[in-house]
Amino acid sequence: MDRYDPHAIEAKWQQIWEAEHAFEVSNERVQPKSYVLEQLPYPSGSLHMGHMLVYTIGDIVTHFRRRNGARVLHPMGFDSFGLPAENAAIREGGHPREITERNIANIKRSMKRIGWAIDWSRELSTHDPSYYRWQQWLFLRFFERGLAYRKAAPVKWCPFDQTVLANEQVTAEGRCERCGTLVESRLMEQWFFRITDYAQALLDDLDTVDWPESIKARQRNWIGRSDGAEVIFRIEELAVDVPVFTTRPDTLFGATFFVLAPEHELVERLAETAENGEEIREYVRRAAVKKTEERAAAEEKTGVFTGFHVVNPVNDERLPVYVADYVLTDYGTGAIMAVPAHDERDFAFAQTFGLDVRVVIRPRDGEAEDVPYVSGSDDDVLVNSGEFDGLPAPEGGRRIVDRLAAEGRGRFAVNYRLRDWGWSRQRYWGAPIPVVYCEADGIVAVPDSELPVVLPDVEDFKPQGKPPLAQAEDWVNVTCPKCGGPAKRETETMDTFVDSAWYFLRYCDPHNEQAPWGREIVDYWNPVDLYIGGVDHATMHMIYARYFVKVLNDLGMLGFREPFAAFYSNGWVTFGKTKMSKRAGNVVGPDDFVAEYGADPVRLNILFIGPADQDMEWTEEGVEGMARFVRRLWRIVNEVASEAPRGEEADGPLARKAHATIAKVTDDIGRRFAFNTAISAVMELTNELSRDTRGADSRFAAETAVSLIQPYAPHLAEELWQRLGHERLWGQPWPVADEAMLERETFELVIQINGKVRDRLQVSADASEEDLIAAATSSERVRSFLDGAEVRQTIVVPRKLVNLVVGANGTN
RNA sequence: GCCGAAGUGGCGGAACUGGCAGACGCGCCGGACUCAAAAUCCGGUGGCCUUCGGGCCGUGUGGGUUCGAUUCCCACCUUCGGCACCA
């Protein structure tokens, strides 16, 4: 028998798959179908172990579902715009496109070497004009409906480099990662999508998808629905109504002051007439410069009194109005009623400024409660609240809102933490935004017929007060599509989250030049049946993609409401510290191990380490052990191929074990996504097979082991399958366990006394309860334990155990 | 603070619906083969005790339900993760 040579075998089968287009699928609408998708990779220098894990999980499911009769779409592409390539170009010279395309070529070579069953005919890259052309087209559909709009929003700004910084370019200390200058906050006009319109739909439809609860919880948290009330306070001096949002209308009688966020639109109006107008303006200026995190971290609350008062609608009390930066401008209405007795932040402010604290909620039975007391449960009652005294807090709150509503001074309201999605970047390496700025007509869409607006080349990718694209003057200066007058192109680009919000739709119809996709095609393949990826994309990417699908559905462009019907979140892969330092300098990735052991052992091992949805540590010992198993399987199956008889009925114990393994592996992959225990099961079968490679059952057991391991180790399995005298395992139906062979003639009866195992007996499978009890009580060992004591109770679990309960005063 | 996940041998983990705790593998120990080593193969491997038959203990801690709990319930401890001046 020849030695196991993974490199030769893997090259051989990869060539055959490619020549036979083994994993390409057409869009012919055949059922059943399955769309198996992993989050597309960012093309950095090379693959890492995390990639190895995600794409192998998807690959196993792809093979499994194919062989179970589904038409499976399993595409691949590259999230190829973005900051790292641009920074590399600035650092090392060259063009981001060259760097990116070199990386793609490199990664693609690694992917093909690993042998994932990908339909490469559908490959796409988001930096390709044939892709972003349709992204621009989609943007225009959003834009014409007002779903994409511009507004001023704070950005992180480096005053030295004169540029906007992405969050990841700001150090933990709040400095520019390049020059170390303290980063400022600046208001700038930016592009947004109106995702907040869909907050409730994004929340509700989580109930319709099969995702891990933890991922759903993160999205719910991110959307952050709060139920409460909007209550109108009035500044009588100015005859202005100022609404506030509160989740605690039950505490309205406890309001003792009122706060506006520094950015609130009313603040400037107050400053105009206030005696201390300049002090107010100065406070606002200082607050604007501070980062949100800095504001939150402040030891003491700061603020300034305006001299104005508002009227509390529940009791017509006059409350002093402050401006303070602990109130956020972009949540609720940017103004709050302050109830220091029942809110920690208001309490802290009241302490600093010596303001009244009025208790209006008490525990029903206690009294000496701490202030602030924030609970508002049914065990609390209202006090100092006029007609509402004595009511449980939640009910009291509802009644207060009812009364305010009747008076037109309040209503029940819902608020979300979710903010509109800001997606424009002052960066070069992204999709151009197809609008122009015209002095006469304002923002004007580029006509569909002029798409794509192709990203022009520039000399320098460093932003210098303006986005790099501003350098491309020939490109920037155009005529307005509306009036024909002079206009300038948008020089900001789209964030990569836009690119990845719809790529799974383009895979379905990647070469369409008339439209982003054909609706029947997209409706056939979608929603994605299994989406696989990391938890780090649980919020942003996966909320944005859901938002896109909902909008596109409302626009009639597709017929579903959710992109990802099921989601599997893979764990993180780490290396031990010793391994890291041993190969200091270069990151250890799958390429290194594939070169040493071959792709199949690496594929197997990444899933054998542990449950794929939990974090795991990759070790050299582990992959060595797996290589040992693979060689063992190789040797045993080769022996079977040459030694075991053909065409004999396989119905002995080894055949039964094989059927049991089929059942186990099918359930593990198909239902439980327990990829590690499926491998264990095949190992067990292999161990049993190794005891007899020449018997009548051996051939069946070997064929079963090879067939079941195929999704994990497709090259090895294919080669062994051929040696067993067959062809094209990847196209073979998945094996089905014979129910009759799963039935056992005998089983091991466990006999317990008072719940402790005392004996095990082989018993006929069709023994009656009475037979089991008789067998149990006649056992010598059992008798010695019973020693004549009275059996008070006998529990019989058919085909499992007998538990004899003897009295506590028994003499056992 | 709110939300989520997890605690099992020396290690990764298994036990799916309440029924034999530790499958499978790593590591380690012993043996075979070898001049020797590696590789390979065979056997052993939770702890304590043992008259070698076996016995007792054991799934983060303390309670509870049950004939029976790693699994269900209550309280707590520890670790990891998300959100967070969100009114």
Side-chain angles (χ1 to χ4, degrees), chain A residues 214-232:
Chain A
S214 60
I215 305 291
K216 290 188 184 184
R218 281 197 201 196
Q219 290 214 349
R220 289 195 188 100
N221 205 308
W222 189 266
I223 296 165
R225 178 185 163 120
S226 292
D227 287 83
E230 192 166 287
V231 180
I232 293 165

Side-chain angles (χ1 to χ4, degrees), chain A residues 662-810:
Chain A
I662 292 170
K664 165 83 177 153
V665 172
T666 304
D667 191 49
D668 278 356
I669 299 177
R671 181 180 65 88
R672 300 177 64 211
F673 298 117
F675 303 105
N676 54 330
T677 51
I679 299 172
S680 298
V682 176
M683 285 175 165
E684 276 189 64
L685 177 61
T686 307
N687 288 344
E688 296 222 0
L689 174 59
S690 72
R691 284 188 253 283
D692 177 12
T693 54
R694 307 174 174 215
D697 290 351
S698 302
R699 186 166 289 273
F700 177 70
E703 286 175 350
T704 299
V706 168
S707 182
L708 295 178
I709 210 72
Q710 183 267 346
Y712 295 80
H715 318 84
L716 168 78
E718 209 57 61
E719 180 67 22
L720 290 175
W721 189 249
Q722 193 176 53
R723 289 170 183 232
L724 284 164
H726 311 290
E727 293 291 336
R728 307 296 182 259
L729 179 53
W730 74 82
Q732 293 298 309
W734 188 253
V736 178
D738 181 345
E739 286 296 324
M741 292 290 280
L742 295 175
E743 295 296 321
R744 313 246 351 219
E745 285 156 22
T746 64
F747 71 98
E748 193 173 65
L749 177 70
V750 171
I751 302 157
Q752 297 180 333
I753 294 169
N754 288 345
K756 290 190 175 188
V757 180
R758 292 303 184 186
D759 202 4
R760 301 181 175 90
L761 296 174
Q762 280 299 319
V763 178
S764 165
D766 48 23
S768 68
E769 283 201 15
E770 289 71 26
D771 295 340
L772 297 182
I773 295 169
T777 51
S778 62
S779 147
E780 270 310 306
R781 283 184 43 76
V782 169
R783 279 163 171 278
S784 71
F785 274 97
L786 288 177
D787 195 22
E790 181 200 359
V791 175
R792 295 187 166 185
Q793 196 181 350
T794 306
I795 314 289
V796 179
V797 183
R799 321 202 93 203
K800 275 216 174 79
L801 62 76
V802 171
N803 187 14
L804 303 172
V805 185
V806 301
N809 53 351

